[in-house]
Amino acid sequence: MKKAGIWLDQKEAKVITLADDSEEIRTIYSQIETRERTPGESKIYGRFGKQYLSDEKTREIKIDAQLKRYLNEVIQTLEDKDELMIFGPGKTKKELEKLIRNHPRMYAKLKEIKIAKQMTENQKVAYVKDFFAN
């Protein structure tokens, strides 16, 4: 039986898989660029007559698309797991839960979502082992 704990934030996801007496850690890096600067960019808005135009909405759409691509990559690694637990800081784990809800078989495997602060890799493995030991 494969059990997986997923620690994630916007920079990376650690998929910690426990199977029998072995453990496997896979790191998935996101390509989300939150502070991207366009060459030649000078102001956060442009003025055309009496209108001010901002590229803020375009950036939000781009970041949302990058986040969705990142989370779908995480979901692909979870398809062969029997039990899942998600933990980590921020709101990215809730976004992953929303996407998992679209996969009923996978959503049934989701046991819990927990808030966790930054941890070392060993702490993350121990956290997952403790969760599934109970």
Side-chain angles (χ1 to χ4, degrees), residues 54-68:
S54 172
D55 65 345
E56 186 176 333
K57 190 67 175 172
T58 305
R59 285 184 186 185
E60 285 178 17
I61 291 169
K62 186 175 180 180
I63 289 171
D64 286 345
Q66 291 170 343
L67 178 64
K68 193 169 186 177

Side-chain angles (χ1 to χ4, degrees), residues 21-67:
D21 294 334
S22 66
E23 64 186 54
E24 178 189 339
I25 302 170
R26 179 171 179 207
T27 305
I28 301 169
Y29 295 100
S30 78
Q31 302 299 319
I32 299 172
E33 299 174 13
T34 56
R35 297 178 189 249
E36 181 181 359
R37 183 165 166 81
T38 307
E41 176 184 29
S42 60
K43 298 180 183 177
I44 60 170
Y45 62 88
R47 183 171 173 212
F48 297 96
K50 295 183 180 183
Q51 297 179 0
Y52 287 91
L53 301 176
S54 172
D55 65 345
E56 186 176 333
K57 190 67 175 172
T58 305
R59 285 184 186 185
E60 285 178 17
I61 291 169
K62 186 175 180 180
I63 289 171
D64 286 345
Q66 291 170 343
L67 178 64

Side-chain angles (χ1 to χ4, degrees), residues 103-118:
H103 306 312
R105 284 187 20 236
M106 189 177 295
Y107 189 65
K109 299 174 186 180
L110 184 59
K111 300 302 175 196
E112 194 163 355
I113 298 173
K114 294 186 162 211
I115 296 172
K117 295 184 178 185
Q118 292 290 343

Side-chain angles (χ1 to χ4, degrees), residues 74-82 84 96 99-111:
V74 172
I75 286 176
Q76 288 176 356
T77 65
L78 304 176
E79 290 179 355
D80 65 333
K81 311 303 187 262
D82 299 314
L84 304 172
L96 180 62
L99 285 176
I100 288 177
R101 283 185 187 182
N102 295 333
H103 306 312
R105 284 187 20 236
M106 189 177 295
Y107 189 65
K109 299 174 186 180
L110 184 59
K111 300 302 175 196

